[in-house]
Amino acid sequence: MTLSLRDHIDVLSAPGPVMLVSVAAIKGSTPREVGAFMLIAGGQVAGTIGGGNLEHQVTLRVRAQFGSDQALIPTSEIVRFPLGPGLGQCCGGSVEVGFHLLDSARKADLCAVLDDVARQPVSQSGRWLMMPVSAGGAGWQIAGADSAQAAMLASGFGTQRGGVVALNGVQTLCLRLDDALTPLWVFGAGHVGKAVVQALAPLPFDIHLVDSREDYLAGIGGKNLHICQSDRPELEVADIPAGAHVLILTHNHALDFDICRAALIRGDLGFVGMIGSQTKRARFVRRLSDRGLGAVEIGRLTCPIGIQGITGKQPVVIAASVAAQLLSVREAQMAQNQTTKSASDGVV
């Protein structure tokens, strides 16, 4: 998820010591992923490593150190916290937590980097923030979304090790700045389409809203949102990148069918969902079969969309249900992709 970087910048801008606390490694079930981080100052906290008693105990530990002789505070250490009865948490795994005391120079450097990142759009591949652990090392760096370093970190962290890793022979602290954005094409800017876009706005999706009606697209905007007016929305399907998700929510069943057929024929999209009832699905399945699509292609269609058990028909209710479904699909695909990559890399 995208960090609320302004809170981090506020902590770094205030006087006094700041401890950078990060998830350096995990084992078993844990509340956050490797690379998650937070900043702890005397009276301020930004970010989270999972909340609960783990975060409470970590915060107490840091503030107790700040209240003692600061010359005795370790500048860098990693401490293991079992997440069992001792912490009153039932996750059952364990977390290695990194503690890195930021001096005034590193505070200023990190503040400048985060301020720069906060002005940029979230990446579609995920980015990492890196700092050499050794004293006197170079300042903070960003592993760009498309860089080999970012790919290496994503792969390495996927094996549940990371946090402090060797990069070019230098022990380097690596923090997760943001998760990858999943490309999503939403066809239809009616009541439900607009509600879906609003529900997904704070979530890790790069959204393209497509409609033939220019007036329905007027006044819609937001971060990670791209507006596309197209007289032939079904033709836009050919330009959608592989792995992207598609939602079909138009005002016209004939247009729904054309978009649906074009998306299912592709065979390389991550999710194809269409609003409608079981009756609409049955009718579309017959028509798709009549147009030559096989069972495998038709089986890629999710209709109705949304989480089972949520039956409300209000646009905001549908949007919340669809957002939860897309997040579930996204998590499953990311896990599968990582498992596949780890297997290809020989990681067990």
Side-chain angles (χ1 to χ4, degrees):
M1 66 186 68
T2 305
L3 295 168
S4 178
L5 295 180
R6 285 298 161 194
D7 292 340
H8 294 70
I9 292 168
D10 289 343
V11 172
L12 292 166
S13 301
V18 172
M19 186 73 75
L20 171 61
V21 179
S22 62
V23 178
I26 60 176
K27 182 177 181 180
S29 178
T30 59
R32 284 301 303 272
E33 68 281 357
V34 171
F37 71 98
M38 63 187 296
L39 298 173
I40 302 176
Q44 294 176 281
V45 173
T48 178
I49 59 168
N53 198 32
L54 169 65
E55 193 165 301
H56 177 62
Q57 294 300 324
V58 165
T59 303
L60 289 179
R61 175 192 177 94
V62 171
R63 287 184 171 159
Q65 290 178 324
F66 285 169
S68 63
D69 185 349
Q70 293 189 26
L72 301 178
I73 302 176
T75 57
S76 176
E77 63 176 337
I78 294 179
V79 180
R80 181 176 177 271
F81 289 83
L83 300 178
L87 275 181
Q89 294 191 213
C90 58
C91 293
S94 64
V95 178
E96 292 182 26
V97 178
F99 296 85
H100 293 88
L101 185 64
L102 302 181
D103 59 23
S104 57
R106 279 187 165 165
K107 278 177 60 179
D109 286 346
L110 180 56
C111 188
V113 169
L114 294 185
D115 184 65
D116 183 57
V117 171
R119 301 174 189 274
Q120 302 173 6
V122 180
S123 75
Q124 293 190 24
S125 308
R127 293 174 294 186
W128 302 86
L129 183 64
M130 307 180 298
M131 178 192 75
V133 174
S134 59
W140 295 94
Q141 301 177 41
I142 300 294
D146 300 322
S147 71
Q149 284 179 323
M152 183 276 293
L153 291 173
S155 174
F157 281 17
T159 64
Q160 298 187 339
R161 293 296 307 178
V164 178
V165 298
L167 294 178
N168 299 320
V170 178
Q171 289 296 105
T172 304
L173 174 65
C174 301
L175 308 174
R176 186 188 301 270
L177 270 180
D178 51 52
D179 287 336
L181 292 183
T182 297
L184 170 67
W185 263 251
V186 179
F187 290 88
H191 294 306
V192 174
K194 289 176 180 176
V196 166
V197 167
Q198 185 174 10
L200 294 174
L203 301 176
F205 293 92
D206 188 54
I207 306 169
H208 298 250
L209 181 61
V210 185
D211 204 297
S212 60
R213 304 165 296 178
E214 189 171 357
D215 54 329
Y216 275 70
L217 295 169
I220 303 176
K223 190 176 182 181
N224 306 321
L225 175 62
H226 314 273
I227 301 299
C228 176
Q229 190 280 324
S230 175
D231 293 333
R232 297 285 303 279
E234 69 275 17
L235 299 182
E236 303 298 325
V237 175
D239 294 328
I240 297 176
H245 293 181
V246 171
L247 284 178
I248 305 168
L249 315 165
T250 83
H251 61 293
N252 185 298
H253 278 205
L255 180 57
D256 280 354
F257 180 82
D258 290 339
I259 297 170
C260 177
R261 180 174 180 272
L264 295 178
I265 288 175
R266 286 274 309 258
D268 61 352
L269 298 176
F271 177 84
V272 179
M274 182 173 65
I275 195 169
S277 62
Q278 290 291 350
T279 300
K280 180 179 179 180
R281 176 187 175 86
R283 184 179 297 119
F284 270 51
V285 167
R286 287 194 299 270
R287 292 186 61 197
L288 289 166
S289 180
D290 291 343
R291 295 288 294 275
L293 272 70
V296 172
E297 293 167 313
I298 295 173
R300 299 188 188 112
L301 174 63
T302 297
C303 178
I305 50 175
I307 300 297
Q308 288 188 351
I310 299 179
T311 59
K313 302 300 182 183
Q314 303 95 323
V316 291
V317 174
I318 296 173
S321 179
V322 170
Q325 181 180 40
L326 289 177
L327 282 174
S328 178
V329 171
R330 177 180 181 275
E331 292 283 345
Q333 290 177 345
M334 290 176 68
Q336 179 60 44
N337 291 342
Q338 187 57 60
T339 299
T340 301
K341 188 176 191 311
S342 296
S344 67
D345 291 341
V347 178
V348 295

